[in-house]
Amino acid sequence: MRLKLLASGPHTFTTVGLLCTVLLSGCAATPANPDDPWEGWNRSVHSFNEDLDHYIMKPIAKGYDYVTPEPVNQGITNFFSNIDDIGVILNDIFQLKLAQAGKDTGRFFLNTTLGLGGFFDVASEVDLPKNIEDFDQTLGYWGVPTGPYLVLPFIGPGSPRGVAGLVGDALMDPLTYTMFAGAAVSAASTAANAVEGVDKRAGLLSSEKILDEAAVDRYEFIKTAYFQRREYLINDGVMLLDDHDDLFDDLDDYFEDEDTSHHLQLDSPADQ
């Protein structure tokens, strides 16, 4: 996803709800597209997110990228990716991928200890690569349908199942629970979420050209790419031809979903 909530809490969701009401009222009269029944709403929110990104998120990300040395930048990305591995391990188990769960557990402990809290990705150097597993994939694994395309303010492209996946991923994220640990810890957690969001957006700066060069209609391009990538992840890439690998490598850089793994390249099935 291009945009992500930088902090969680009741005020954030109240704000999103108010924006949803305002934007929905502006597109309620738009005729429904059977293949995209919420297209009027989606395009309005897509335009809102694009403007927000252009005027706020992208300039902040450029400034962050400019002042942050590359080793530090990569270390911050690795740190949040390591925290994300907790959710990856749980989703491995939920999807009955027990062998992968064992490897991902080893990856987490290795990076947490020898990698100094995950700042260094030493596990990848010993053949324990990053895996991408989230609760949306878990729901898909158990046959829950994705539902129509849905674009949400601040969050970006998704689906009803994807929204449930975001809630599940939040419950698996240790940073979610720091809001109950006192004001100082909660403030530190909010700052960490903000840094994570800016770090993710900065990681997308170099891959934006795929949209600028390939997309006549950015909305349709992102919608198609979102569903193709989610299907790729849920099916572990088995339904894709090898000559599509480069496309999905680029799309993986672009979408961000809810975790730092989106900075990483997707492996082809032959590499897994």
Side-chain angles (χ1 to χ4, degrees):
M1 295 183 180
R2 187 171 191 176
L3 297 173
K4 179 184 177 181
L5 289 175
L6 299 182
S8 60
H11 297 296
T12 298
F13 292 107
T14 299
T15 302
V16 171
L18 291 173
L19 284 169
C20 289
T21 302
V22 173
L23 292 169
L24 186 59
S25 65
C27 59
T30 303
N33 178 350
D35 297 324
D36 188 359
W38 301 330
E39 183 175 3
W41 154 267
N42 287 337
R43 285 188 177 274
S44 295
V45 181
H46 169 83
S47 179
F48 168 80
N49 285 345
E50 291 269 292
D51 289 342
L52 181 69
D53 182 75
H54 178 74
Y55 291 109
I56 299 177
M57 289 300 297
K58 187 173 180 179
I60 293 175
K62 283 185 174 181
Y64 169 87
D65 197 49
Y66 179 78
V67 302
T68 307
E70 178 55 31
V72 176
N73 195 344
Q74 186 59 53
I76 292 172
T77 300
N78 291 341
F79 172 79
F80 287 110
S81 178
N82 189 57
I83 294 177
D84 169 71
D85 277 339
I86 296 173
V88 171
I89 294 166
L90 292 174
N91 282 294
D92 284 337
I93 296 172
F94 295 154
Q95 296 173 43
L96 306 181
K97 299 178 179 179
L98 301 184
Q100 181 171 300
K103 293 181 179 180
D104 288 335
T105 300
R107 172 187 170 83
F108 173 75
F109 281 110
L110 189 60
N111 280 343
T112 301
T113 54
L114 298 182
L116 303 180
F119 195 82
F120 298 101
D121 184 8
V122 296
S124 293
E125 302 301 323
V126 294
D127 200 26
L128 289 173
K130 175 76 177 184
N131 286 307
I132 306 173
E133 302 292 347
D134 55 43
F135 197 62
D136 183 18
Q137 291 170 248
T138 296
L139 294 174
Y141 175 86
W142 291 106
V144 178
T146 183
Y149 186 56
L150 174 64
V151 186
L152 293 177
F154 306 107
I155 297 175
S159 66
R161 189 185 69 199
V163 173
L166 288 175
V167 174
D169 290 332
L171 293 175
M172 300 178 205
D173 186 348
L175 293 177
T176 300
Y177 302 97
T178 57
M179 70 179 68
F180 304 110
V185 176
S186 180
S189 174
T190 300
N193 284 327
V195 172
E196 181 184 11
V198 173
D199 178 68
K200 288 181 179 182
R201 184 61 186 89
L204 301 176
L205 291 173
S206 61
S207 60
E208 283 186 291
K209 63 181 180 180
I210 185 174
L211 276 178
D212 297 332
E213 295 177 357
V216 176
D217 184 339
R218 290 171 66 97
Y219 170 81
E220 287 292 339
F221 182 88
I222 293 173
K223 178 177 70 173
T224 300
Y226 171 80
F227 281 121
Q228 287 180 335
R229 181 175 181 276
R230 296 313 301 174
E231 185 180 359
Y232 176 99
L233 293 174
I234 291 169
N235 292 279
D236 294 327
V238 296
M239 76 295 188
L240 295 177
L241 298 177
D242 288 341
D243 60 358
H244 290 169
D245 287 348
D246 290 341
L247 169 62
F248 281 85
D249 284 345
D250 289 335
L251 294 179
D252 188 60
D253 281 339
Y254 179 75
F255 285 106
E256 80 99 23
D257 224 329
E258 46 302 347
D259 60 66
T260 53
S261 61
H262 299 298
H263 292 294
L264 304 174
Q265 298 283 326
L266 287 175
D267 294 328
S268 67
D271 295 331
Q272 296 179 342

